[in-house]
């Protein structure tokens, strides 16, 4: 009779490892608020596990190149590079990446070193070699490989693709599956929990990573959320789904939590919504080039306030009376 086995700890999510790397860099360059760091550590057991992993790696972190020493970290770009190196070291040390589905892994250094990237709040358009185009939304990373097939690997974030006529297949890979374009304009969004494809013209085919023989076909006006192991039912494409191309976010009777979650994608650091106001309905059109100004306007019109622990850690809550 076998004794009870100890279950291994689940891998730490990439976004948690990335946050730990960010806080480590801020601490090293002297710009972190100790209370904010402690608050992040106390927020969940997973945060504390990531921090513990950092501490166990202290000797390795001390060997970072001189260019990442304290004076150089005063530049934001140097800080991001330092955090990227530390994140890769965390994963290599065994932090792992949890994507919410068994057997699915990602390689975060691929996202950090992707040939095409956007920072939080940034958008860009890329001309593809076949005459098509790819628009990249905030905080996205992708690689393009045109050979026998036209292939785009979306590591994270969101892209809008307009394909051009070409006899070669056009494929988009995410950690959760493969999308095949059928002469179309479509968007793909990839995060830790799954991928979403939105079809604006013609059609696409979707294959989940663990079920490549099961093909789902989507027509224009449809949207599908899928993971490596399965897909939800297709639904009608929400209105204004492509408004980010114009630098806008349109909310139609959204819960405040949903709006804050979307705004957080366009801003560095952590932006949270207090549970007490998370279900408040919000309708409006918001510019994405200045999220702090959006938050100020939102607070003024809905009786809210934003509490800043640091510039990179903020929470939206009910206004104090």
């Amino acid at each position: 009779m076998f004794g009870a086995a100890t279950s291994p700890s689940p891998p730490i999510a990439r976004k948690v490892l990335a946050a730990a790397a960010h806080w480590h860099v801020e601490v090293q360059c002297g710009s972190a608020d100790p209370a904010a760091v402690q608050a992040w550590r106390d927020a969940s057991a997973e945060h504390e596990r990531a921090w513990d992993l950092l501490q166990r790696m202290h000797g390795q972190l001390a060997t970072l190149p001189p260019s990442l020493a304290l004076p150089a970290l005063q530049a934001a770009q140097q800080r991001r590079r330092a955090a990227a190196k530390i994140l890769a070291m965390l994963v290599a040390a065994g932090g792992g990446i949890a994507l919410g589905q068994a057997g699915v892994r990602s390689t975060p250094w691929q996202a950090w070193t992707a040939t095409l990237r956007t920072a939080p709040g940034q958008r860009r358009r890329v001309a593809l070699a076949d005459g098509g185009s790819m628009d990249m939304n905030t905080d996205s990373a992708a690689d393009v490989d045109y050979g026998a097939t036209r292939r785009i690997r979306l590591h994270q974030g969101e892209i809008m693709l307009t394909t051009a006529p070409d006899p070669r297949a056009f494929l988009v890979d995410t950690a959760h599956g493969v999308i095949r374009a059928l002469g179309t304009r479509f968007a793909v969004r990839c995060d830790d929990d799954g991928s979403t494809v939105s079809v604006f013209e013609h059609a696409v085919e979707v294959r989940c990573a663990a079920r490549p023989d099961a093909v789902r076909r989507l027509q224009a006006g449809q949207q599908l959320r899928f993971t490596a192991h399965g897909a939800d039912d297709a639904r009608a494409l929400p209105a204004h789904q492509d408004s980010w191309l114009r630098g806008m976010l349109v909310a139609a009777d959204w819960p405040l939590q949903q709006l804050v979650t979307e705004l957080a994608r366009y801003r560095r650091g952590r932006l949270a919504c207090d549970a007490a106001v998370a279900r408040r309905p919000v309708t409006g059109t918001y510019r994405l080039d200045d999220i702090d100004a959006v938050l100020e306007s939102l607070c003024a019109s809905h009786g809210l306030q934003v509490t800043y622990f640091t510039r990179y850690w903020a929470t939206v809550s009910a206004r104090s009376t």
Side-chain angles (χ1 to χ4, degrees):
M1 187 170 184
F2 294 102
T6 301
S7 299
S9 298
I12 302 171
R14 183 187 68 83
K15 62 183 178 181
V16 175
L17 292 177
H22 161 78
W23 283 117
H24 177 82
V25 171
E26 295 298 314
V27 168
Q28 293 301 306
C29 71
S31 62
D33 179 351
V37 177
Q38 189 61 52
W40 180 81
R41 291 175 58 184
D42 293 342
S44 77
E46 190 175 28
H47 291 189
E48 186 63 25
R49 284 178 56 214
W51 195 256
D52 286 344
L53 181 59
L54 268 174
Q55 307 316 301
R56 295 198 302 272
M57 292 175 58
H58 179 75
Q60 297 178 51
L61 297 178
T63 65
L64 289 174
S67 62
L68 298 179
L70 181 59
L73 292 176
Q74 302 309 316
Q77 187 175 17
Q78 289 288 346
R79 294 189 193 188
R80 290 194 295 274
R81 289 174 180 169
K85 289 179 179 290
I86 293 170
L87 175 58
M89 293 170 70
L90 282 171
V91 176
I97 300 298
L99 288 175
Q101 298 295 333
V104 179
R105 299 285 177 180
S106 181
T107 51
W109 48 88
Q110 289 181 341
W112 286 101
T113 61
T115 55
L116 299 170
R117 287 190 53 81
T118 55
Q122 180 187 14
R123 299 181 306 278
R124 66 180 292 192
R125 167 164 285 195
V126 178
L128 300 175
D130 59 1
S133 65
M134 176 172 69
D135 288 278
M136 303 182 69
N137 201 357
T138 177
D139 197 20
S140 299
D143 285 304
V144 177
D145 180 14
Y146 272 29
T149 61
R150 297 172 292 168
R151 198 168 213 112
I152 293 175
R153 171 69 176 179
L154 178 61
H155 303 293
Q156 67 180 42
E158 183 174 20
I159 55 177
M160 174 73 77
L161 294 155
T162 302
T163 61
D166 191 295
R168 295 171 295 176
F170 190 103
L171 307 175
V172 178
D173 295 310
T174 76
H176 311 100
V178 181
I179 302 120
R180 181 188 179 100
L182 303 175
T184 184
R185 177 174 176 264
F186 66 108
V188 183
R189 177 169 168 176
C190 176
D191 54 42
D192 285 353
D193 298 323
S195 295
T196 301
V197 57
S198 304
V199 184
F200 294 85
E201 296 177 10
H202 302 294
V204 303
E205 292 177 346
V206 178
R207 289 174 170 84
C208 299
R211 302 178 61 190
D213 295 333
V215 181
R216 295 285 296 273
R217 186 184 177 102
L218 292 182
Q219 302 293 338
Q222 290 186 308
Q223 183 179 80
L224 182 72
R225 177 75 171 174
F226 65 96
T227 68
H229 299 280
D232 297 338
D233 292 334
R235 63 172 184 163
L237 188 64
H240 310 293
Q241 191 72 11
D242 61 348
S243 60
W244 61 268
L245 294 169
R246 301 180 294 279
M248 307 296 292
L249 177 64
V250 181
D253 202 27
W254 286 8
L256 180 61
Q257 176 67 72
Q258 181 181 352
L259 177 61
V260 171
T261 298
E262 284 298 301
L263 293 176
R265 299 172 60 211
Y266 297 85
R267 182 181 184 278
R268 293 193 181 280
R270 182 177 187 271
L271 178 62
C273 181
D274 186 85
V277 295
R279 295 186 179 182
R280 286 192 186 182
V282 179
T283 297
T285 301
Y286 305 96
R287 295 196 61 84
L288 296 172
D289 55 1
D290 190 344
I291 300 303
D292 287 337
V294 169
L295 292 174
E296 183 178 347
S297 173
L298 186 66
C299 289
S301 60
H302 289 78
L304 302 167
Q305 67 179 19
V306 181
T307 302
Y308 292 89
F309 293 99
T310 73
R311 179 182 176 185
Y312 300 103
W313 185 300
T315 299
V316 178
S317 60
R319 184 179 301 162
S320 300
T321 55

